Amino acid sequence: MAVVSDKLDRVEEPWRENLNLQIICKDCKEIPPNIAEEFSSGDMVCDTCGLVLGDRIVDTRSEWRTFSNDDQNNDDPSRVGDGANPLLNGSQLQTSIAFGDGGAKARELHRAQNKVTHDKGTKTLLAAYKEIGALCDAWHIPKNVSDTAKHLFKMVNDAGAFRGKSQDVVIAGCIFIACRQCHVPRTFREIFALTKVSKKEIGRIFKSLEKFFAAQNQAKADTVLQAGGIVNPNDSYNTTTSTNAHELCIRYCSQLSLNQKTTMVSQQLADKMSTVGALAGRSPLSAAAACIYFASHLMGYPRTAKEISLVAGVSDGTIRTSYKLLEVEKDKLIDPAWLKVEKADINNLPKV
């Protein structure tokens, strides 16, 4: 009787089409399938054998952002939102009221909202960042130098230092230090031509900024050590060194359209020059220009003293005078490996 009742129950159940689509692995054929969706890569993968069953999977999870932790100054990284700008202070989340149709009420609302949300500190930083970016772009200075200069300016602004100094002077000093930090040094003369701040003023603010950043770095390191932490060497400020002829040769040779071999010879010549002491007491500009003049003639791609003077910013007479000192020590300076290159000949050197 029990068997008959089971059959009657099955007959009485109405037939329904199964509309559930089920994806199974064609290799494992497991039921139920052991499939995982990897939203980071957009793939659907079988967890058993690792076979990729689908690609370009759309992430259907929630994409809203919560503000429940804002009161505790905590972030909510599990939600989306615009990335915070480390060069600005505050939450950086605000709402702006547009003019709308341009009526009187729209203008009043816009004006009132600007008064409420006006942040003078952020406005000052944005104006300074805009000027630093414009100055660096004008001279094709790399972006990492621009970002470093902005970071240095923010450190000065947050500490409230140099309030009596003009903002243009502080910006010039930050750009000068940033160029040295990023190993693309610029001279006082070049920074003066860029920012119109006098060389004497740049020198003063440079020394003051170096002391300020060194003191800030030491105070930060002491705080970390007192808390039992380890100082990160990549997050500390490194005091810059004076510009040398070796660093200037790369840029000057590039502007003179010299090949890579001539550039390398001029750099090696600048290093040997400092060891031998041939141009002791000369400025890095004069030394770099004389090394390029020497190397270009030696390697068979000569450049005149006038052409080099336009790039280096020193007179052609100074270049010739410095070259005479190098020519006297040529036996100590010239590496025999340089003469193995095609067109290289010691006889190409101009006679003193």
Side-chain angles (χ1 to χ4, degrees):
M1 295 295 293
V3 177
V4 176
S5 62
D6 290 342
K7 289 183 179 180
L8 291 174
D9 292 340
R10 291 177 188 173
V11 173
E12 292 176 357
E13 183 180 354
W15 178 85
R16 291 181 301 176
E17 182 181 0
N18 186 6
L19 298 177
N20 295 324
L21 296 178
Q22 202 171 36
I23 299 177
I24 64 173
C25 177
K26 62 181 181 180
D27 289 347
C28 301
K29 297 181 180 179
E30 292 182 344
I31 297 177
N34 185 17
I35 296 175
E37 293 182 349
E38 297 183 357
F39 294 110
S40 59
S41 59
D43 295 334
M44 184 179 293
V45 183
C46 175
D47 274 352
T48 303
C49 65
L51 180 66
V52 178
L53 304 177
D55 57 354
R56 300 189 181 186
I57 303 301
V58 178
D59 190 351
T60 57
R61 296 176 296 178
S62 58
E63 291 293 332
W64 65 82
R65 181 181 175 106
T66 61
F67 301 93
S68 58
N69 295 329
D70 287 356
D71 295 336
Q72 290 80 24
N73 295 323
N74 295 325
D75 294 331
D76 186 10
S78 64
R79 300 303 180 195
V80 299
D82 190 16
N85 187 352
L87 298 175
L88 295 177
N89 298 320
S91 62
Q92 304 172 26
L93 293 173
Q94 59 184 357
T95 303
S96 299
I97 299 177
F99 278 104
D101 57 355
K105 291 184 178 180
R107 286 196 300 271
E108 290 176 4
L109 282 173
H110 181 74
R111 192 179 299 112
Q113 193 261 351
N114 282 338
K115 289 181 180 179
V116 172
T117 61
H118 179 69
D119 187 358
K120 188 176 181 181
T122 303
K123 187 177 181 182
T124 303
L125 285 175
L126 289 174
Y129 295 160
K130 184 177 180 181
E131 184 174 355
I132 291 173
L135 291 173
C136 293
D137 290 343
W139 277 45
H140 305 289
I141 297 177
K143 189 178 184 300
N144 63 328
V145 177
S146 175
D147 294 340
T148 303
K150 293 175 183 178
H151 176 66
L152 295 176
F153 183 86
K154 185 178 184 298
M155 291 175 62
V156 174
N157 186 78
D158 291 346
F162 307 103
R163 291 197 179 277
K165 290 286 186 181
S166 171
Q167 181 173 295
D168 294 338
V169 175
V170 178
I171 287 175
C174 290
I175 293 176
F176 181 80
I177 294 176
C179 289
R180 286 192 172 185
Q181 290 279 344
C182 298
H183 307 291
V184 284
R186 296 298 190 271
T187 62
F188 285 148
R189 188 179 302 171
E190 290 175 309
I191 299 297
F192 161 70
L194 176 64
T195 62
K196 306 305 178 185
V197 177
S198 65
K199 292 187 288 185
K200 183 181 292 186
E201 198 67 35
I202 295 173
R204 289 175 181 171
I205 193 65
F206 163 66
K207 293 180 180 178
S208 300
L209 286 173
E210 283 274 86
K211 293 180 181 178
F212 168 75
F213 292 137
Q216 289 281 95
N217 184 50
Q218 186 62 39
K220 183 178 179 181
D222 293 342
T223 303
V224 173
L225 292 175
Q226 289 176 2
I230 301 175
V231 179
N232 183 6
N234 297 324
D235 194 26
S236 59
Y237 176 81
N238 298 321
T239 305
T240 59
T241 57
S242 58
T243 305
N244 53 47
H246 178 95
E247 296 172 334
L248 296 173
C249 284
I250 302 177
R251 184 156 50 90
Y252 292 166
C253 289
S254 176
Q255 294 177 2
L256 291 167
S257 301
L258 290 171
N259 57 22
Q260 185 178 5
K261 187 61 180 178
T262 306
T263 303
M264 293 176 58
V265 169
S266 65
Q267 288 181 290
Q268 295 174 10
L269 185 62
D271 294 336
K272 286 192 172 186
M273 169 206 68
S274 58
T275 305
V276 175
L279 295 179
R282 295 277 177 174
S283 70
L285 297 175
S286 303
C291 290
I292 293 173
Y293 185 74
F294 188 103
S296 63
H297 283 82
L298 178 66
M299 303 306 293
Y301 299 94
R303 296 295 186 272
T304 64
K306 188 66 176 178
E307 292 175 325
I308 299 175
S309 67
L310 295 176
V311 172
V314 295
S315 64
D316 50 350
T318 303
I319 296 175
R320 292 192 183 93
T321 303
S322 301
Y323 166 75
K324 290 178 183 179
L325 300 175
L326 291 178
E327 205 272 340
V328 173
E329 303 288 345
K330 63 181 180 181
D331 294 333
K332 299 179 181 178
L333 295 173
I334 296 177
D335 190 340
W338 299 348
L339 302 177
K340 296 179 181 180
V341 181
E342 185 181 0
K343 292 187 178 182
D345 190 355
I346 195 172
N347 296 322
N348 294 335
L349 294 175
K351 303 300 180 182
V352 178

